[in-house]
Amino acid sequence: MKIESISFSNLPFPKLFQNYINQEQTLLRFYETNPFSQEDLQRKIDSYRYGGDRKELGRYLRDYNAQFGTYPHIEKSIKKLEEEDGLVVVTGQQLTIFGGPLFTVYKIATAIRKAREIEETYNRPVVPVFWLADEDHDYEEAAEFNLPAGEDIRRFFYDKPDNLDARVHEIPFDNRVDALIREIAESQFKTEFSPQVWDLLRKGYSSGKTFGYAFGTLIMNLFAEEGLILCGSNHRWAKEVTRDIFTESVSRKDAIYEALTRQTEALEKEGYSGQVQVQKSNLFLIDEKGNRNKLSAEDGHWVEENSGRTYSDSELTARIAESPEKFSPNVFLRPILQSRLLPDVVYVAGPGEVAYYAQLKPLYEAFNLPMPVILPRLSATIVESAVERNLQRLPFRMEDFSQRIEDLEREYIERSDAPDIEEIFRNWAEKIEAASADSIRQIEEIDSTLEGTAEKAKSHFLNDLNKVKGKVFRSVKDQERIQISRISKVQKSLFPNRNLQEREVAFLYFMNKYGIHIWQELLDNLGDLSVDTHKLIYL
């Protein structure tokens, strides 16, 4: 495995993320810490104080992780957190079926490496944590994934059973998941690693098991030996500890709304868009059937979206006091719960999360919590050996392959040693224009009514000329069909669906081809992790 770095500047990443990577000061003021400054990181670590009960935290984490099995390295990590100066590097992701895209493992790898680095540099216990999005209810995104299959990228989807509107974490699989695994296996090359990969999936993804259990089991089987702890807020103790956050989000809704609005407007003034729409309500209510219903603040009261039931502030806070487990945070409140539960000195974020954390600084201030360092995750593209060989035969850089295939093909032909077709036909057309001008003038002198007919004859000739040019281009393209085929293959590997590979391809694809331990090999080869450039990982 070889790893190279390239700039983000020519890759399809949002403006805000690019500027964050470039440490633009007008943007960094929306965060508490510059993630690329060792001095800022040291100040954050030195000043951090955890306000929770570490023994209670340890009991909670043991209980939460026990559902996924018993792992000695997890217990070791939990004991580190029970120490007075224990810290966390946390990341998280939606519970996408079969683990989701490559960026899931890139987030985990970044958290593990950063935890090691901080522990070694500052001589204090630091552990990686993966926050399961166990309160999320975006089923459509969680139930689909893409895999290369032959020459194409193929979309797979697991249909929701019984029209259930519960949190994704709680949704159970039925026997259709076995059929889906068989379908996946049939779509992929059979390798020496295939039986182990499909058996690994079946450990969690089976009838009666839930999305949360299956996802957590898969992650633990891959990363438990790295001491990676799983965590989430869909737990009675977590809700008890964060009850006051729910209460304050009700009683102080106007002040919180105004602070978030000011922050978002300030971002927009700098030329950025708010990643998340600001609303007065940041809460969901879990009903008797386990469905997650949005609460809306309207005209001095609260409305439960599905039922239309209304609550006053006092009625809602009383219900929170009695049953905090019946309430669920939205995208704004989730990081606040995380920072109340964990000593999270660093959060490893994807580009979209980097953007929405820019809106969150006043929310941390409102709840008197330190905002973690927002560290961009590892961003990478895996370059397989066959793709690398094709790249060496083509006159393009990796980032060029984000263009339309038609534009790449045309550019290749124009760069090739073949005659300059555009120049040939441009000169030809100019000669026709020059020769036609004098003849048309003479015809006009003979009969002015024939000028239009003469112009039309010239246009027909030029149109025929363009048709000939098209045929010549196609002829050259046929002669270069092998190279053109290589362009297509490289693009489908590096930019499937003209998107970054890390966003499109499920990470199990590479496990099936190269073995389950490929991610351990990645961790071993990351060295001094730098996240300010995109990585090319050559296999």
Side-chain angles (χ1 to χ4, degrees):
M1 184 179 286
K2 178 181 69 173
I3 299 178
E4 294 179 354
S5 298
I6 64 172
S7 171
F8 282 109
S9 59
N10 294 321
L11 292 170
F13 285 90
K15 172 187 171 184
L16 185 147
F17 179 76
Q18 298 266 16
N19 291 347
Y20 192 70
I21 290 291
N22 293 330
Q23 305 177 54
E24 294 200 5
Q25 292 304 310
T26 55
L27 177 60
L28 288 179
R29 68 186 178 88
F30 291 94
Y31 306 83
E32 283 189 4
T33 311
N34 181 345
F36 305 105
S37 165
Q38 289 300 319
E39 293 79 9
D40 279 12
L41 179 59
Q42 181 159 3
R43 278 195 295 272
K44 171 67 72 174
I45 291 170
D46 290 344
S47 65
Y48 185 85
R49 298 293 181 271
Y50 178 57
D53 185 320
R54 289 185 179 270
K55 293 301 179 186
E56 287 293 324
L57 174 62
R59 280 191 283 271
Y60 153 62
L61 291 174
R62 288 185 182 92
D63 183 57
Y64 195 93
N65 283 266
Q67 62 184 304
F68 306 110
T70 302
Y71 299 95
H73 291 84
I74 301 302
E75 176 59 26
K76 183 179 178 182
S77 287
I78 292 174
K79 286 181 177 179
K80 281 186 178 182
L81 280 186
E82 290 178 325
E83 297 180 33
E84 184 177 350
D85 57 348
L87 296 172
V88 157
V89 176
V90 62
T91 191
Q93 185 53 40
Q94 195 174 41
L95 306 179
T96 308
I97 192 169
F98 303 134
L102 280 159
F103 64 65
T104 302
V105 293
Y106 295 160
K107 280 185 167 185
I108 294 171
T110 309
I112 291 170
R113 292 295 305 185
K114 194 64 179 180
R116 288 182 192 172
E117 176 192 313
I118 295 174
E119 184 168 87
E120 292 167 2
T121 303
Y122 299 98
N123 194 31
R124 58 189 299 175
V126 185
V127 300
V129 169
F130 189 92
W131 183 280
L132 299 176
D134 56 9
E135 305 245 31
D136 190 84
H137 69 296
D138 191 343
Y139 184 84
E140 295 298 316
E141 288 191 17
E144 72 172 4
F145 63 104
N146 294 327
L147 287 171
E151 290 294 313
D152 297 309
I153 188 88
R154 182 175 169 186
R155 176 183 179 270
F156 295 85
F157 189 82
Y158 181 80
D159 290 319
K160 187 191 300 185
D162 302 323
N163 297 315
L164 191 63
D165 197 27
R167 288 167 287 190
V168 172
H169 169 84
E170 300 165 329
I171 293 176
F173 294 102
D174 54 29
N175 56 17
R176 290 174 301 146
V177 76
D178 300 320
L180 183 56
I181 293 174
R182 288 194 299 272
E183 184 182 358
I184 294 168
E186 290 169 1
S187 76
Q188 301 299 296
F189 289 113
K190 291 180 174 59
T191 71
E192 61 182 296
F193 310 111
S194 298
Q196 187 180 11
V197 172
W198 312 135
D199 287 346
L200 175 60
L201 291 188
R202 290 187 184 98
K203 284 185 178 181
Y205 294 92
S206 60
S207 183
K209 304 298 185 182
T210 64
F211 266 76
Y213 172 82
F215 188 98
T217 299
L218 175 60
I219 298 302
M220 282 292 93
N221 273 278
L222 295 176
F223 295 104
E225 290 189 4
E226 299 298 329
L228 180 72
I229 299 173
L230 298 184
C231 181
S233 58
N234 190 11
H235 185 281
R236 175 78 193 195
W237 181 84
K239 293 297 175 67
E240 291 284 353
V241 170
T242 58
R243 185 201 322 252
D244 63 312
I245 292 174
F246 292 144
T247 301
E248 288 188 45
S249 72
V250 172
S251 61
R252 300 172 56 202
K253 62 181 182 299
D254 292 331
I256 290 171
Y257 173 77
E258 290 168 7
L260 287 173
T261 299
R262 284 195 301 271
Q263 183 82 345
T264 303
E265 288 174 348
L267 265 174
E268 291 171 348
K269 189 175 180 180
E270 294 295 339
Y272 307 107
S273 298
Q275 186 75 5
V276 182
Q277 183 180 357
V278 179
Q279 300 178 352
K280 286 194 176 181
S281 171
N282 295 304
L283 285 178
F284 291 85
L285 179 62
I286 311 303
D287 66 20
E288 292 74 12
K289 296 180 180 179
N291 296 327
R292 191 171 184 246
N293 300 319
K294 181 178 175 57
L295 288 168
S296 299
E298 300 177 6
D299 300 325
H301 59 272
W302 299 81
V303 180
E304 189 177 341
E305 190 173 75
N306 289 359
S307 69
R309 182 175 176 181
T310 62
Y311 305 87
S312 65
D313 283 4
S314 59
E315 288 173 330
L316 203 56
T317 53
R319 189 160 182 182
I320 292 170
E322 180 183 351
S323 304
E325 74 281 0
K326 293 294 184 183
F327 291 83
S328 179
N330 77 342
V331 67
F332 277 129
L333 273 191
R334 185 212 59 77
I336 304 301
L337 268 64
Q338 171 191 292
S339 293
R340 174 61 59 81
L341 292 171
L342 300 171
D344 60 342
V345 71
V346 174
Y347 182 77
V348 174
E353 291 172 300
V354 169
Y356 96 79
Y357 265 95
Q359 295 175 263
L360 286 178
K361 186 178 178 183
L363 202 55
Y364 281 92
E365 295 168 352
F367 288 100
N368 195 29
L369 288 168
M371 184 179 185
V373 178
I374 307 305
L375 180 72
R377 64 160 169 82
L378 168 69
S379 176
T381 298
I382 294 176
V383 184
E384 299 183 80
S385 57
V387 174
E388 182 180 7
R389 288 194 297 272
N390 284 335
L391 269 172
Q392 292 169 350
R393 294 170 177 143
L394 294 167
F396 299 117
R397 299 171 301 174
M398 174 268 182
E399 52 265 43
D400 294 332
F401 287 90
S402 64
Q403 301 177 58
R404 294 190 320 146
I405 190 69
E406 296 85 357
D407 294 334
L408 284 168
E409 291 173 354
R410 180 176 293 276
E411 187 175 348
Y412 173 76
I413 291 171
E414 291 173 352
R415 289 190 187 187
S416 72
D417 294 331
D420 189 338
I421 298 168
E422 286 288 355
E423 180 69 16
I424 291 170
F425 281 89
R426 183 168 54 252
N427 290 338
W428 195 353
E430 287 173 355
K431 290 175 182 177
I432 291 170
E433 289 280 3
S436 299
D438 186 54
S439 297
I440 291 172
R441 188 166 50 253
Q442 293 178 30
I443 289 170
E444 183 184 8
E445 290 174 357
I446 296 169
D447 186 344
S448 62
T449 64
L450 294 176
E451 179 189 4
T453 304
E455 288 283 356
K456 190 173 182 181
K458 182 190 75 172
S459 297
H460 279 306
F461 195 88
L462 290 173
N463 286 335
D464 287 341
L465 195 64
N466 280 328
K467 291 176 183 177
V468 173
K469 182 172 73 170
K471 290 179 179 179
V472 173
F473 267 116
R474 285 194 292 276
S475 176
V476 173
K477 183 175 176 180
D478 288 341
Q479 295 170 30
E480 299 286 353
R481 64 186 180 279
I482 294 176
Q483 288 290 72
I484 297 299
S485 174
R486 286 174 178 152
I487 292 172
S488 177
K489 289 177 180 177
V490 171
Q491 187 189 58
K492 287 176 180 177
S493 177
L494 303 184
F495 289 91
N497 293 333
R498 289 192 61 209
N499 199 357
L500 286 164
Q501 181 196 80
E502 62 185 20
R503 298 176 187 165
E504 288 290 317
V505 179
F507 67 76
L508 67 87
Y509 169 77
F510 292 98
M511 289 164 52
N512 177 58
K513 291 191 72 173
Y514 301 99
I516 286 173
H517 297 295
I518 183 175
W519 310 126
Q520 181 59 56
E521 186 180 352
L522 172 63
L523 281 167
D524 294 341
N525 281 273
L526 281 177
D528 295 329
L529 176 64
S530 62
V531 293
D532 56 350
T533 54
H534 184 81
K535 309 302 180 190
L536 300 182
I537 302 171
Y538 294 91
L539 298 182

